[in-house]
Amino acid sequence: MKVLKIFLALTIIGFSFAACDKIEAPYTQEVEKPVGNKKVLLEDFTGQKCVNCPLAHEIAHTLQDTSNYGEKLIVVAIHAGFFATPSAAPFDYDFRTEAGDIYESYFSVQTYPTGMVNRVNTDGNYLIDKDGWATEVAKQFEETSLVNIEITPSLNGNKLSGEVNLDFIEGFASQGNVQIWITEDSIIKPQVVPGGMEEDYVHMHVLRGAINGNWGEALPSASYNSGDNESISFSNFQLGDDWVTDKLSLVVYLYEQESKKVIQVEEIKIN
């Protein structure tokens, strides 16, 4: 009986070793690298009383809907300048924001409609006519993404808080700023259109405000390596009295502080 027990024990040990996988030197396991999720920001300078601006809105929506960009192309309508200045009814609603007015001045917006694609600077000019948007958007999508952005909003009554996480896929050796905007869709207000006025025009992607300052905030470090991550948070941002929470989104982007070029952008509904 004793001999039988020894035989069974040796048999079990033998099977145990046979079930183990053999690991070859240098005994390391390759970790799968995160995949970049490139997105592009299109800023559309517009106004309620700009007769050609609806044509630009249509181009932006067409790029999203029929060019296979979908949610990868993030559009923000910035109402600023002469055509956005409120006047007598029905154009007495004020879409303007402090941030929008500052951008309009800084980027020297003179004619409407116009826009910026990832704030690319070409020979000192950031602005691109609406007919050139498609070409620049396609060019920007050819670039790889250096970083992925994750947004976690938290709504408490009429106050918005949240956290933004940045996961660097490639190295980033430049002082970067993170900008947090809030936008609203489906605002029904009048709009001048070719041939007259549309009273129930649906205004989309409207910039409502800059949550963390008009130029965002600087990242703590001016250099990040692949695999690094960074996070910033905000709290108790007061929503506007007439804003509809179900239509609000957060738009967050990382840009180079000096060149203003947008590196990556992300958008999420807050509700």
Side-chain angles (χ1 to χ4, degrees):
M1 180 58 73
K2 184 176 181 181
V3 172
L4 179 58
K5 287 181 178 177
I6 293 173
F7 174 75
L8 288 173
L10 290 173
T11 301
I12 291 171
I13 292 171
F15 275 118
S16 298
F17 277 110
C20 294
D21 293 330
K22 185 178 181 181
I23 301 176
E24 302 291 345
Y27 313 114
T28 59
Q29 184 175 1
E30 185 175 347
V31 177
E32 188 174 351
K33 191 175 180 180
V35 177
N37 182 23
K38 180 70 177 180
K39 297 191 177 183
V40 171
L41 175 65
L42 170 58
E43 294 169 78
D44 172 15
F45 285 98
T46 189
Q48 275 184 284
K49 295 178 286 185
C50 165
V51 66
N52 290 319
C53 286
L55 300 175
H57 304 164
E58 190 174 328
I59 288 173
H61 294 157
T62 299
L63 284 171
Q64 286 184 309
D65 295 341
T66 63
S67 300
N68 296 322
Y69 296 133
E71 63 182 15
K72 290 180 178 294
L73 176 62
I74 296 171
V75 179
V76 175
I78 300 173
H79 289 250
F82 173 79
F83 294 112
T85 303
S87 57
F91 296 105
D92 51 349
Y93 188 80
D94 196 353
F95 281 100
R96 297 173 301 170
T97 60
E98 178 183 290
D101 291 344
I102 288 174
Y103 305 145
E104 189 239 4
S105 174
Y106 182 86
F107 294 110
S108 300
V109 178
Q110 301 292 327
T111 59
Y112 283 71
T114 191
M116 298 188 290
V117 178
N118 272 358
R119 294 188 176 174
V120 171
N121 184 337
T122 303
D123 299 327
N125 183 27
Y126 292 92
L127 303 172
I128 302 173
D129 181 81
K130 65 183 186 327
D131 296 328
W133 291 354
T135 300
E136 189 57 46
V137 166
K139 194 183 298 182
Q140 289 303 304
F141 273 114
E142 291 175 359
E143 297 185 1
T144 57
S145 176
L146 303 181
V147 60
N148 284 337
I149 299 174
E150 183 180 10
I151 313 165
T152 307
S154 173
L155 187 61
N156 183 10
N158 219 26
K159 292 186 177 180
L160 181 63
S161 303
E163 184 168 300
V164 175
N165 293 303
L166 294 89
D167 295 317
F168 289 89
I169 300 162
E170 305 290 346
F172 179 61
S174 178
Q175 180 58 63
N177 277 26
V178 173
Q179 179 75 69
I180 306 173
W181 282 345
I182 187 165
T183 64
E184 184 172 358
D185 278 336
S186 306
I187 303 173
I188 310 295
K189 295 290 180 186
Q191 170 73 48
V192 172
V193 298
M197 186 265 289
E198 188 172 324
E199 190 168 353
D200 296 327
Y201 191 85
V202 182
H203 294 266
M204 301 293 287
H205 324 293
V206 175
L207 177 64
R208 284 304 204 176
I211 289 179
N212 62 339
N214 296 322
W215 294 104
E217 57 191 280
L219 288 176
S221 173
S223 179
Y224 291 89
N225 297 317
S226 172
D228 286 349
N229 55 70
E230 188 65 83
S231 65
I232 63 173
S233 60
F234 60 96
S235 61
N236 296 323
F237 177 80
Q238 182 72 43
L239 303 184
D241 292 338
D242 64 338
W243 299 0
V244 179
T245 54
D246 287 344
K247 304 297 182 185
L248 296 176
S249 295
L250 285 173
V251 173
V252 177
Y253 58 91
L254 169 67
Y255 71 94
E256 291 179 339
Q257 192 177 85
E258 184 172 349
S259 70
K260 303 294 184 290
K261 184 178 184 337
V262 174
I263 304 301
Q264 177 65 309
V265 58
E266 187 56 89
E267 182 178 38
I268 190 171
K269 292 281 188 185
I270 70 166
N271 216 0

